[in-house]
Amino acid sequence: MEAVFQLEERDRIFDHGYTTNTEGTGFGLSIVSRVVDSHDWTISICEETKQGTRFEITDVELEG
């Protein structure tokens, strides 16, 4: 499954229900965004290739 987002879509990809796939629900990235927000982390779109889009989650503190 490929996920390459157009520049104009970047502001919407974390919106609940937004999808570019005719068989998609649009729930996946909105759920990820909620989890990230609930932990005070940050999610960024880093790069896009023909294989898909890479996301980076930062500000994560691991206990150990």
Side-chain angles (χ1 to χ4, degrees):
M1 172 174 54
E2 293 182 11
V4 177
F5 299 99
Q6 301 299 317
L7 187 58
E8 59 272 4
E9 295 174 312
R10 286 180 169 223
D11 291 337
R12 299 175 45 202
I13 61 173
F14 295 109
D15 291 351
H16 183 76
Y18 181 75
T19 184
T20 59
N21 185 327
T22 57
E23 297 179 18
T25 62
F27 298 152
L29 288 175
S30 68
I31 292 169
V32 170
S33 179
R34 284 183 171 198
V35 171
V36 166
D37 288 344
S38 72
H39 289 284
D40 294 323
W41 300 338
T42 304
I43 188 166
S44 304
I45 305 168
C46 295
E47 65 182 54
E48 297 182 24
T49 66
K50 290 182 180 179
Q51 290 77 35
T53 303
R54 184 173 69 88
F55 297 88
E56 181 175 272
I57 299 173
T58 56
D59 301 322
V60 177
E61 293 184 25
L62 301 177
E63 296 179 17

